[in-house]
Each structure stands twice: as C-alpha cells, then as structure tokens.
C-alpha cells in the first residue's frame, strides 16, 4: 500500500506566474457562514458552494483543489501537455481522499455560427448539475464578469488560466448532504485561432475555437482527508495568494 504521507512530502508545487494581493482574500472561518452560498477564485478555477457546506469542508475543498492544481503545474508546465496536467490533477485529488468518476474529456459541438465560452459552459453544465447548482455557478460567473478589468482577482485568474491561444480552467460546485461533500469538478480546455482576452467570456467564429470538457464527479472521504489536512495546509503555506472571495 502506498504511503500517502510520503507521497505528499515528495509532491512538488509550482508557484503561479502572478500571485493574488492578499487584500482580496476573505477569511473562510469568520465572514462566511455555513448557511450561505459562496464563490471563490481559486488559482485556475472558479469554485462555488451551495448553502449548507460547512466552513471546514469549504476549506478542505479549496485546499485540495489548490494542491492538485499546483502539483499538476509543477509536473506539466507546458501547455502542450494539458491532458497530462489533468491526469496529475486528478491523481493528487484521489490521493488525498477524493473518490472520482468520469475523468474523460469530450469535445463540445456548437450549434451556432458564433462560439461563446460563457454560453457553452451553461449548456454543458446544464446537463451535468442540478438547477440549483447551476444557479449558484451562474452567480459566481456573474460576479467575475462584473469586476473591473483592473481588479486584482480577474487579473490573477486571466494570467494563470491562458496564453494567447490556449487556456484551461475549472468550474466546480460543491454540496454537502448529511456531512458528506460531493463536488461537480468540471474542467475545460480552450484552443483558439484568435487571441483570448477574458477566457470565460471569449467569443469567436465557431470554426476558430475548440472547447474540450470533462464532467467529473467527486465525493470526499473526510476521514482520509482529515489524516492529511495539516500536512496539506503546511505544504500550501499561504493560500491567500491563490484563493479570493467573490461576492455572490
């Protein structure tokens, strides 16, 4: 049996090209209560939470996602290896207590002449999450869309999710039922012939862009994760440079 303490201690993490100004970080334990919905910029992803997800479980979700993102970025920094990046990403999540299914990618087929990432996301997620979960994701997307271009959170997200013609990001939503956390861990890869500006709201002609997506489902084994929680927190050091609160 693999020794996961050794696995974590040997896991190398990449730093982001651009870090977050800590003024945007809001303490999970003080300002956000268990009975409120929440949304966060989390390095390369947007993570939403339904009401009822405990503060501890929110922290565990965000920290485990951040660990997986940074480990994948360390192992596969070249954007040409993006599918290998995701293999590493899912490997780390499974090794810290997530039970995953549905890790394969599919190609999105647009039925419109104009390709719009935002509309594509809603179409894809509409078939994968509940109506309530989709509404929370839409609030998180709207919060990001409404930010000024110079807002440090959107600058951080854009810089770390794409180059001129290729990008990758995650859009997740978590629920908690009877103490068990489930996560719709959706991943997206965008390739374009035209220059990407705001990746989530990018538009182009249909034949100038390709969107691949993965609709993974995950359940957290909290007993397993609790074993490694402190080691993960210590390894991440200062997650306020990677995670920022959104007002949804």
């Amino acid at each position: 049996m693999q020794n996961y303490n050794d696995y974590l201690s040997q896991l190398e993490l990449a730093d982001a090209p651009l870090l977050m100004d800590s003024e945007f970080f809001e303490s999970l334990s003080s300002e956000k209560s268990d009975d409120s919905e929440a949304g966060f910029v989390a390095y390369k992803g947007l993570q939403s939470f339904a009401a009822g997800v405990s503060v501890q479980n929110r922290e565990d979700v965000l920290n485990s996602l951040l660990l997986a993102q940074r480990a994948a970025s360390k192992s596969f920094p070249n954007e040409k290896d993006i599918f290998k990046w995701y293999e590493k990403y899912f490997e780390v999540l499974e090794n810290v207590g997530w039970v995953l299914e549905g890790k394969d990618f599919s190609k999105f087929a647009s039925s419109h002449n104009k390709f719009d990432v935002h509309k594509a996301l809603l179409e894809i997620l509409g078939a994968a999450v509940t109506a309530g979960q989709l509404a929370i994701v839409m609030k998180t997307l709207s919060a990001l869309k409404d930010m000024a271009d110079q807002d440090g959170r959107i600058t951080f997200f854009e810089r770390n999710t794409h180059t001129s013609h290729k990008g990758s990001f995650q859009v997740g939503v978590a629920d908690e039922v009877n103490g068990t956390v489930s996560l719709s861990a959706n991943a997206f890869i965008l390739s374009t012939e035209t220059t990407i500006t705001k990746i989530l709201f990018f538009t182009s002609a249909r034949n100038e862009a390709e969107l691949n997506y993965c609709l993974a489902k995950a359940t957290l084994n909290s007993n397993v994760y609790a074993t490694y929680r402190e080691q993960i927190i210590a390894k991440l050091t200062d997650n306020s440079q990677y995670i920022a609160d959104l007002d949804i």
Side-chain angles (χ1 to χ4, degrees), residues 3-54:
N3 186 318
Y4 290 122
N5 286 311
D6 289 344
Y7 175 86
L8 283 173
S9 64
Q10 295 168 12
L11 197 65
E12 295 186 26
L13 306 184
D15 291 325
L18 178 70
L19 295 175
M20 193 91 68
D21 189 322
S22 60
E23 71 177 280
F24 295 114
F25 181 74
E26 185 172 319
S27 172
L28 296 178
S29 60
S30 60
E31 297 295 333
K32 292 292 183 182
S33 62
D34 293 5
D35 59 358
S36 63
E37 297 172 352
F40 296 86
V41 174
Y43 189 15
K44 294 177 178 288
L46 292 184
Q47 180 57 46
S48 303
F49 294 92
V53 180
S54 71

Side-chain angles (χ1 to χ4, degrees), residues 13-20 40-47 62-74 76-77 85 89 144 152-162 168-170 199 236 239-244:
L13 306 184
D15 291 325
L18 178 70
L19 295 175
M20 193 91 68
F40 296 86
V41 174
Y43 189 15
K44 294 177 178 288
L46 292 184
Q47 180 57 46
L62 289 168
N63 284 338
S64 56
L65 293 176
L66 179 56
L67 182 79
Q69 289 172 326
R70 291 180 61 190
S73 292
K74 181 66 175 181
F76 300 103
W85 189 101
Y89 172 78
L144 195 71
R153 289 165 291 187
I154 199 165
T155 301
F156 170 85
F157 183 75
E158 295 296 334
R159 183 78 64 85
N160 291 309
T161 53
H162 66 85
S168 172
F169 58 92
Q170 301 88 49
I199 191 169
L236 292 173
N239 67 5
S240 67
Q241 293 181 301
Y242 291 85
I243 298 171

